[in-house]
Amino acid sequence: MDLKKWLEAPAADVSAPKRPKLNMLRGAFTRITTPLLPDDYLHLANPLWSARELRGRVVEVKQETATAVTLVIQPGWGFNFDYKPGQYIGIGLHLGGRWHWRSYSLTSPPNWDEKRISITVKAMPEGFLSSHLVGGVPQGTIVRLAAPKGNFALPTPPPEKILFITAGSGITPVISMLRALDRHGELSDTVHIHSAPTEDEVMFADELSALAEAHPQFHSHIQLTRSDGKFALASLDELYPDWRTRETWACGPASLLEEIERVWKHEGLEDKLHLERFEISRADTSGKGGTVTFAKSDRSTEVDGATSLLEAGENVGVQMPFGCRMGICQTCVVPLTAGHVIDLRSGKQHGEGDRIQTCISAAAGDCTLDL
Amino acid sequence: MAISDIKEFAHLTEADMEAFGRELDAVRRDIEDSRGAKDAAYIRRTIRVQRSLELGARIVLLGSKYRPAWLAGTAMLSVAKIIENMELGHNVMHGQWDWMNDPEIHSVSWEWDQTGPSEQWKRAHNYSHHTYTNIVGMDDDIGFGILRMTRDEPWKPINLIQPLANVLLAMTFEWGIALHDLDAKKDLDGETNLPFWKSASNRQFGRKIARQVGKDFVLFPALTGPAWKSTLTANATANLVRNLWTYVVIFCGHFPDGAEKFTIGQFENETRAEWYMRQMLGSANFEAGKVMAFMSGNLCYQIEHHMFPDLPSNRYAEISERVHALCEKYDLPYTTGSLGKQYLLALRTIHKLSLPDSWLRATSDNAPETSSERRFRTGEVPAVHALRIDPMTGERRGLRSAIAEARVTLRNAKKEAKRQAKAMRRTQGE
Ligand code: FES
């Protein structure tokens, strides 16, 4: 048998990408720490040395506006800095004994030399975690991280002509793209239309004007909606008559995105449009249920608020793991990848990133299971 | 025959039974609502203590050639293994800490330091044992297929060696469990007829055992070089100590007198409230201080664990007060006693039931280890009809009083029989 493989084998499930030597060492050590990993001991000394999952440490907290902060995070072992500008990460924060999980766009450009990443979070009245993040995370806080993902990203090389349309915190994936373009000296013919209610609420305002100054071909259009009203897409023809020739990325509230989608479709420009839906999905507690999607088996079904997800899956022929069917054995536990569900016993809500017992959970709005 | 009508056995009306269930649902809700940072800190601290102990033990054992080091290292390793097995492995895999949403302390991902793979244990234990608790013929944990622990099961000649089998089981407990779980897993997956090497469960089992045995009996001894022999004996001793302790804890939780058995008939139409009742009547506690409770993985609160297997172990003490109060209210027995007493009762059953039924006096309706609602019937009249409220206090007089009365009646009957026999002898002598 291949010696390298044999050495790596015990730690293979949780290997650090691109660190073959480290993996081998961990594998070899695992044989004496079995069933634990060497990291299970090491992270008693340093929580970042956990390899069951990515971890990070908050090293800096910057206030962007009154309601938004940037967290600079130093990821632990195994983080891959080769993400694409515009992608998002999952982040977990420990609050009241429980890890809360959310996804945020990365605002740092990839391959940033300092081996750090940043996210910018705007407080949402309904977002429990975002208000907490903005309200104050102490420096040094350890967070859980998930690898960057998402298709809302710039291709390499970037297109020659770009249009960005953002509103509110929809600017976060785009600032990452702008920073990356700037760093590579590729910020050429680009228009960025950004809406915010007032001047104080424009995130990265200074940076945007600095970019505009440095790059004559970059146009930053700021729309202050409280004083100037909503940005009218119809005015594009007048302001940027070549907008149809631009590859477009848009991110913001659903109403804005719907409008953009309609206009671009009407013009036959769907191919040139990239959207990122960004709104906090909220649990539907009306008890009406929703659409359950089983991601791996590529099936979905409409259910009411009283049907367990286990039954829902079985009804459409998904191989659901189960045991007691009454919530005591944990055989049926699967990760919830999107949306919300409700625990039928306690009425408690679970959201994205939680692992749930399908036999005692029902859909609270649309949701997706990793099955 | 074991209990086939739990309402009648418990001396509860339908309405009382439902009310009993609702009160327990409220207990669950209260605990769930109050889980928080303090509980999370508790389990993290436990993990830290366990890992430090184990690490420390391994270091001390490097000097295991010297007697004091051997003793200290072995003691530390035994304690570490016990904590890992009970308070961590058993409880984490029950999902008691899943609410924290921490992938490192989660029922799905936890693997324990025991011969059997945790996945197989979860199937057999969390599912089979905790769903079909004490249902004769469905819960294989009644005697683990090795011991006859209730006279609801027919006697076989092999049971004669039960006293010996018991000692062997105790010493190799983790292996007994591992094999038991493997069988359960193969049964469930329909793998029973596959050739040995084709079964995925067998392969999973083999891999786990190779690692476990390799670690404790090959790698660590080898690492200590010339002291390999003393390290080997230290590791073996620690495993033995852990086996004996978990065996005692588990036997005290399931086999003292008063831990009742049930029939499939009872299970088939069971309500949620009756499920709680079955868990409660089927388990037994033992009295423990804080340290012993911790070392038993809080399974000194076996009754509470069986009612709420997925609530955090550090809350069982508090839950037990509420369960105890419910027992007072509904006049139900709360089976508990000192560790020694509970173990001796289990031991008595093991030895007694190695004998054929014809040698035993009590019937399975009225024996120390199993009884049924029939023991309270006068003629064919169900006991629930004889529900009584104490005219003086207005309190319910339920199962607990009924058992006490049945005992007095039995004692009186025995006395009476003796008296008559004596009288007879006297008249014959005259
Ligand atoms: S099937 Fe047992 S907990 Fe869901």
Side-chain angles (χ1 to χ4, degrees), chain A residues 245-312:
Chain A
T245 65
R246 293 175 182 271
E247 191 91 12
T248 302
W249 279 266
C251 182
S255 58
L256 172 74
L257 299 185
E258 270 157 35
E259 202 185 336
I260 291 177
E261 211 170 7
R262 205 170 41 201
V263 172
W264 261 249
K265 206 175 237 165
H266 181 75
E267 299 274 345
L269 293 170
E270 295 111 300
D271 300 353
K272 285 189 139 46
L273 181 63
H274 313 270
L275 296 176
E276 176 97 307
R277 303 194 184 272
F278 218 62
E279 264 176 327
I280 291 186
S281 70
R282 261 195 281 178
D284 179 351
T285 45
S286 62
K288 280 198 305 251
T291 307
V292 189
T293 308
F294 300 91
K296 282 195 197 136
S297 8
D298 197 17
R299 268 181 223 175
S300 64
T301 174
E302 288 280 329
V303 287
D304 59 26
T307 311
S308 74
L309 298 173
L310 175 60
E311 291 169 72

Side-chain angles (χ1 to χ4, degrees), chain A residues 50 99 144 331 348 354, chain B residues 33 99-101 104 123 215:
Chain A
S50 151
W99 288 97
R144 288 167 60 195
T331 311
K348 283 228 166 60
D354 288 3
Chain B
D33 288 345
W99 61 274
M100 298 197 303
N101 208 20
E104 282 169 359
R123 261 327 250 190
K215 176 189 66 164

Side-chain angles (χ1 to χ4, degrees), chain A residues 63-82:
Chain A
Q63 200 77 33
E64 294 290 350
T65 67
T67 57
V69 291
T70 292
L71 304 184
V72 180
I73 297 164
Q74 181 184 14
W77 282 5
F79 190 85
N80 190 348
F81 288 89
D82 279 354

Side-chain angles (χ1 to χ4, degrees), chain A residues 24-173:
Chain A
M24 238 192 288
L25 199 66
R26 290 177 58 226
F29 263 106
T30 303
R31 291 183 193 277
I32 53 171
T33 57
T34 188
L36 298 177
L37 294 169
D39 327 15
D40 286 319
Y41 292 95
L42 287 176
H43 92 241
L44 294 179
N46 180 347
L48 292 189
W49 291 341
S50 151
R52 298 216 182 241
E53 199 190 48
L54 296 172
R55 302 265 151 142
R57 186 197 304 274
V58 176
V59 288
E60 199 188 333
V61 184
K62 278 189 286 194
Q63 200 77 33
E64 294 290 350
T65 67
T67 57
V69 291
T70 292
L71 304 184
V72 180
I73 297 164
Q74 181 184 14
W77 282 5
F79 190 85
N80 190 348
F81 288 89
D82 279 354
Y83 52 90
K84 298 200 207 94
Q87 287 193 307
Y88 59 88
I89 54 164
I91 174 170
L93 215 74
H94 197 229
L95 277 181
R98 201 174 172 277
W99 288 97
H100 296 262
W101 190 256
R102 287 277 295 134
S103 296
Y104 292 104
S105 292
L106 283 156
T107 46
S108 49
N111 295 318
W112 192 16
D113 306 325
E114 295 166 66
K115 295 280 181 218
R116 291 175 172 185
I117 55 171
S118 69
I119 56 170
T120 304
V121 182
K122 192 168 150 46
M124 303 283 171
E126 66 274 51
F128 168 71
L129 192 54
S130 70
S131 356
H132 178 85
L133 284 168
V134 173
V137 202
Q139 248 182 46
T141 303
I142 298 296
V143 294
R144 288 167 60 195
L145 295 173
K149 53 178 180 208
N151 303 325
F152 190 74
L154 281 180
T156 33
E160 264 161 38
K161 296 170 77 151
I162 302 177
L163 170 61
F164 293 129
I165 307 180
T166 59
S169 54
I171 192 175
T172 51

Side-chain angles (χ1 to χ4, degrees), chain A residues 323-325 327-330 332 357 359:
Chain A
C324 65
R325 308 184 77 98
I328 56 161
C329 76
Q330 319 291 322
C332 62
Q357 289 165 279
C359 71

Side-chain angles (χ1 to χ4, degrees), chain A residues 177-200:
Chain A
M177 297 182 188
L178 287 172
R179 285 170 176 173
L181 291 169
D182 177 38
R183 278 163 49 91
H184 295 128
E186 292 170 338
L187 184 49
S188 48
D189 194 350
T190 302
V191 173
H192 178 202
I193 298 164
H194 178 60
S195 305
T198 63
E199 198 153 347
D200 291 343

